[in-house]
Amino acid sequence: MRTWLPVLLFATVLPAQAAKLDLKVLYAGVADHPRTEQWRAFLAAHVAHVALTDVKAIADGSGTDADVVILDCPDPIVRKADGNPERIAVPSPKGLTAAFDRPTIVIAGMTLHTDHLQLKSNWL
Amino acid sequence: MCLYEEAHGVDASHPIFQGPFPVTPTWHDMPTPAHYKNLDPSLGPTLRAWRVHRDKLPERSYVGVVADGFGFLDSPDAEWIASGRNSKNARAAALARHGNFFHWGFAAAPPELTDEAQRVFLNTLAYMKRFAGQRPLAIGETRSREWLPAMIAGDQPLADYVKNQLPPSWLAAAGDDRQALRALAAAELGFLHREGTRWQVDADCKRLGLDNRTPTALRRCVELQANGGDDAKAAQAVLERYTGERFTTAAEWQRWLADAGDRLFHSDVVGRFRVAPKDLVPPHRAKTD
């Protein structure tokens, strides 16, 4: 019983109340965008260490200090004055290839890049 | 851009639902989008769904992205975890992993994620740490043959883009008769081989009765090659075509197969067998009843 108690306690608390995950996370997004601050605040509350960088700067060899890298961007749809879509503008980390070996979470619009890398996680 | 607020087809047995923050998904019934039935008429009126966004997405807001779910599981470097309400089909992947890349297709920023989705995201961070250095193995742009039965599943007239995907021998034999095409797909899907931009029936595989997606087919070819006779030449050709190797004796093939063991896999993305590295982290697969 004594062995299980810490596990049960950990399992029943909300993330915000739980110990932080012992992870170093590199969030690569768009600087000064409100979405980046939202992700930073969320991650800082739940993981041991968070660093930020420009997603366009991510390249093979980046994030060697991170346990996990997150690739993210704001809504990439560029709209015309009438609100209709004009084009898609996803930031491009040109130096990131399929040889990139860090654990990576690719969020929403950044899938355009894994599509270019011909991964199964493509842009259908 | 085509993924909305909720996931469906969720594999809640996947580690990202298990911890470190266990999540028991709150399910609801989602009306099955009508267009899903174009590729899968067997779908019922509702799908069991799990809400990822707190609120309904306003018009012209950031929507998410789905990946092609057909064939996603044909290589051991990939995991399909969930689809989500989208404009493509019920198999499209909203949560999935390929090598060291995890596809989180939902567009919500953290304040827009439900509490359960926030937990799953944090669990995903913890889960992915183990995939350092686990690069994707099946890389390419070829779509899986699993698309073919889906494309002829409904009752709509065959569009030109569908005809351009089907093997010419199927069209020659069945024309636009979907029932006949479905029978051919059921009988011959395992014999298909990608040549250029379309699928063809591999005459050697068909004649020898070899499903070219299974390691068993390769082992049968080695037996045929060792036996000599009329089938030996075809068996050698099949072995070379689907492995990329050029061994000439049955002993060499047997040695290669033995070394590959259960690390051998076929992916339509690469069009042949490959051998997974020995340090591959085994993929999670949903338990089936």
Side-chain angles (χ1 to χ4, degrees), chain B residues 84-260:
Chain B
R85 187 163 61 82
N86 70 85
S87 61
K88 306 298 182 179
N89 60 68
R91 282 293 301 166
L95 299 175
R97 181 184 66 83
H98 191 199
N100 56 311
F101 291 88
F102 191 97
H103 175 69
W104 183 277
F106 295 96
E112 299 154 358
L113 290 170
T114 62
D115 291 348
E116 290 177 0
Q118 287 186 2
R119 287 180 179 224
V120 171
F121 187 88
L122 293 171
N123 290 342
T124 303
L125 288 171
Y127 178 64
M128 285 303 292
K129 181 178 178 180
R130 73 197 69 182
F131 296 104
Q134 297 275 311
R135 296 188 181 100
L137 304 174
I139 295 177
E141 57 185 349
T142 300
R143 284 187 167 190
S144 168
R145 74 185 77 184
E146 291 176 17
W147 270 97
L148 302 184
M151 288 195 294
I152 57 177
D155 294 324
Q156 317 91 317
L158 287 178
D160 284 345
Y161 81 89
V162 173
K163 291 181 180 178
N164 289 338
Q165 291 293 316
L166 298 175
S169 62
W170 291 8
L171 291 170
D176 285 6
D177 181 342
R178 281 178 175 259
Q179 198 164 345
L181 287 169
R182 286 195 279 268
L184 283 165
E188 298 186 350
L189 200 66
F191 305 147
L192 299 188
H193 180 64
R194 190 79 174 181
E195 290 181 19
T197 59
R198 68 190 307 166
W199 293 100
Q200 305 275 357
V201 175
D202 184 318
D204 290 329
C205 289
K206 183 176 178 179
R207 187 171 68 79
L208 298 173
L210 301 170
D211 184 328
N212 58 32
R213 299 166 293 184
T214 63
T216 306
L218 299 185
R219 296 188 186 101
R220 175 63 182 148
C221 282
V222 175
E223 290 173 1
L224 292 170
Q225 201 232 26
N227 292 342
D230 292 344
D231 292 338
K233 190 174 175 184
Q236 174 73 18
V238 170
L239 284 167
E240 292 183 0
R241 191 175 306 139
Y242 293 103
T243 67
E245 302 292 344
R246 293 293 181 269
F247 304 121
T248 55
T249 68
E252 288 174 313
W253 285 112
Q254 283 166 345
R255 198 175 307 121
W256 182 80
L257 283 171
D259 183 58

Side-chain angles (χ1 to χ4, degrees), chain A residues 10-16 18-25 34-35 38-40 42-43 46-47 67-77 79 81-85 88 90 96-115 117-124, chain B residues 1-2 20-22 59-69 71-75 77-78 86 88-89 92-93 96-98 100-113 115 118-119 121-126 128-136 138-141 143 147 267 269:
Chain A
F10 190 70
T12 54
V13 292
L14 292 170
K20 291 183 178 181
L21 294 172
D22 185 19
L23 292 172
K24 294 178 182 176
V25 175
R35 181 179 173 92
Q38 290 175 324
W39 275 106
R40 188 208 61 76
F42 173 71
L43 293 167
H46 298 295
V47 304
D67 295 311
V68 184
V69 175
I70 297 172
L71 305 182
D72 186 39
C73 64
D75 187 356
I77 301 290
R79 297 183 184 279
D82 63 4
N84 289 320
I88 296 173
V90 176
L96 190 155
T97 75
F100 188 66
D101 68 355
R102 303 312 301 155
T104 305
I105 298 178
V106 182
I107 297 177
M110 287 308 298
T111 304
L112 190 62
H113 193 70
T114 46
D115 184 80
L117 300 181
Q118 298 187 344
L119 303 190
K120 286 186 170 184
S121 46
N122 54 15
W123 181 302
L124 183 60
Chain B
M1 309 300 291
C2 51
F21 304 114
E59 201 174 343
R60 293 172 181 166
S61 59
Y62 188 4
V63 295
V65 176
V66 286
D68 184 357
F72 211 93
L73 296 178
D74 77 359
S75 58
D77 56 345
N86 70 85
K88 306 298 182 179
N89 60 68
R97 181 184 66 83
H98 191 199
N100 56 311
F101 291 88
F102 191 97
H103 175 69
W104 183 277
F106 295 96
E112 299 154 358
L113 290 170
D115 291 348
Q118 287 186 2
R119 287 180 179 224
F121 187 88
L122 293 171
N123 290 342
T124 303
L125 288 171
M128 285 303 292
K129 181 178 178 180
R130 73 197 69 182
F131 296 104
Q134 297 275 311
R135 296 188 181 100
I139 295 177
E141 57 185 349
R143 284 187 167 190
W147 270 97
S267 172
V269 171

